[in-house]
Amino acid sequence: MQETSPTVAAGELEQSLEQHRAELNAYCYRMLGSPFESEDAVQETFIRAWKGFDRFEGRAALRSWLYRIATNVCLDMLSGRERRARPMDLGPAREPIEANLNTLPEVTWIQPMPDPVDAAVQRDTIRLAFVAALQHLPPRQRAVLILCEVLRWQATEVAELLDSSVASVNSALQRARATLEKSDLSATAPLGDADRELLARYVDAFQDYDVDALTSLIQEDAKQSMPPFDLWLRGRDDILTWWFGPGIGCRGSRLVPTVSANGSPAYGQYKPAPGGGYEPWALQVLELSGGRFVEFTFFLDTDTLFPLFGLPARLEA
């Protein structure tokens, strides 16, 4: 683990803290499942660091000290609350009919995060499925697994950070690994030229609402979810039944590419507006595998997510 020099003067603290913002934000996001809560956690970490800097005195590396504070902030935020989830974590797939739509509060859901600029952040460790799987772990196990498996800290370092023993850390790590193995997470590869061509075909097919083209692009056992609705769909037939049934209002939509979300391609979807132009409808996050689309997540909270992803408030005709 690379450490920051402990000789940080108080006057240089703000600059030193900012150097760690991106990685702390990614860490807190994995812990909390929300980019907005992770930003709050990092801000609280910095506030506590400012207040406690006179007691720091370089006894530990600044990076380790900040991770200790951030971990405690996250554990405090997670205390006594339900885990964030994805629709498929809450129940079985259901029939693609409008009567099955039920809205649950925002705090129920894993929220997407723009990919960190830091190239050191591994793509698979911020995927929606991975972050959702982490939420099944008790908070301290979650911290142990992220620190050891994702950030590659030594068990001795994690034990010191958590005021625990190495044996306790190793035991928590073993239990966390066993839980994650049940999630059947698969690794993903970076997008290649064939994937980018597939994405271009999807954009054209979706904007044309071409059922034949869409059928050829979607894997037979694909999944779709639409937070904040708890309904999710399994299978290409059900997905297209929805798109050309209750979701027919999406016909004529426009897709605007944005930064990747959780390691996956993302687009802002704008539906035709009654008075002309296009209004925000969803942030589409797409999963590809084997030359087909295997999962669609339509995040409908555009008021908060579109600004986060730098997407415009509306499109003109």
Side-chain angles (χ1 to χ4, degrees):
M1 174 176 72
Q2 292 185 347
E3 298 288 10
T4 304
S5 170
T7 58
V8 179
E12 303 169 351
L13 182 58
E14 182 174 0
Q15 181 179 355
S16 299
L17 294 179
E18 286 300 324
Q19 291 175 352
H20 296 282
R21 180 181 290 276
E23 63 172 309
L24 286 171
N25 196 38
Y27 172 64
C28 293
Y29 174 71
R30 296 185 188 98
M31 287 288 292
L32 301 169
S34 164
F36 306 103
E37 289 188 353
S38 65
E39 182 61 34
D40 290 344
V42 173
Q43 287 300 112
E44 176 62 21
T45 296
F46 288 176
I47 290 170
R48 294 188 189 184
W50 271 106
K51 290 180 178 178
F53 188 67
D54 59 340
R55 300 188 299 276
F56 171 53
E57 298 177 351
R59 286 191 295 268
L62 178 63
R63 182 171 181 261
S64 297
W65 185 58
L66 290 175
Y67 268 95
R68 175 191 289 268
I69 298 172
T71 300
N72 287 329
V73 169
C74 289
L75 293 177
D76 289 345
M77 292 174 70
L78 291 167
S79 178
R81 79 166 204 196
E82 296 295 321
R83 65 181 174 89
R84 286 182 176 267
R86 305 182 72 199
M88 48 280 292
D89 297 325
L90 303 182
R94 283 177 288 167
E95 188 180 356
I97 57 175
E98 197 165 357
N100 282 333
L101 288 177
N102 300 291
T103 304
L104 297 179
E106 176 275 321
V107 293
T108 308
W109 307 115
I110 300 286
Q111 296 175 310
M113 179 184 185
D115 282 6
V117 176
D118 185 358
V121 175
Q122 300 173 22
R123 183 167 174 257
D124 279 339
T125 69
I126 56 169
R127 286 177 61 206
L128 287 169
F130 181 77
V131 174
L134 288 174
Q135 309 310 301
H136 287 272
L137 302 174
R140 286 180 69 87
Q141 278 188 34
R142 197 180 308 173
V144 167
L145 186 128
I146 297 168
L147 291 166
C148 290
E149 296 284 272
V150 177
L151 301 179
R152 302 300 180 186
W153 287 38
Q154 298 296 317
T156 52
E157 298 168 320
V158 177
E160 182 179 357
L161 182 144
L162 294 175
D163 292 323
S164 183
S165 67
V166 172
S168 178
V169 166
N170 285 331
S171 177
L173 182 59
Q174 185 176 9
R175 294 195 302 274
R177 284 171 174 164
T179 300
L180 252 64
E181 284 176 4
K182 299 175 184 176
S183 300
D184 192 27
L185 298 170
S186 58
T188 59
L191 293 180
D193 291 340
D195 296 316
R196 284 185 278 272
E197 191 270 337
L198 190 69
L199 287 166
R201 288 169 55 199
Y202 169 74
V203 170
D204 289 342
F206 189 87
Q207 293 185 151
D208 292 341
Y209 235 57
D210 182 335
V211 64
D212 292 331
L214 291 167
T215 299
S216 72
L217 294 171
I218 301 173
Q219 187 164 294
E220 189 174 356
D221 62 351
K223 295 182 288 188
Q224 174 185 306
S225 59
M226 302 173 289
F229 294 116
D230 60 359
L231 171 68
W232 68 280
L233 308 173
R234 181 189 293 278
R236 179 178 59 208
D237 290 347
D238 278 2
I239 291 172
L240 293 177
T241 296
W242 181 270
W243 289 7
F244 288 87
I248 195 63
C250 290
R251 187 195 296 271
S253 290
R254 293 292 173 262
L255 297 182
V256 176
T258 184
V259 296
S260 297
N262 298 80
S264 298
Y267 293 85
Q269 178 189 342
Y270 296 79
K271 288 172 59 174
Y278 301 86
E279 57 191 9
W281 176 248
L283 179 77
Q284 291 193 18
V285 180
L286 311 175
E287 294 279 350
L288 299 80
S289 180
R292 292 289 186 274
F293 290 90
V294 298
E295 187 168 333
F296 302 85
T297 308
F298 294 77
F299 291 99
L300 304 183
D301 184 12
T302 57
D303 286 346
T304 56
L305 293 178
F306 273 34
L308 180 66
F309 281 82
L311 289 162
R314 64 174 280 117
L315 299 180
E316 299 305 324

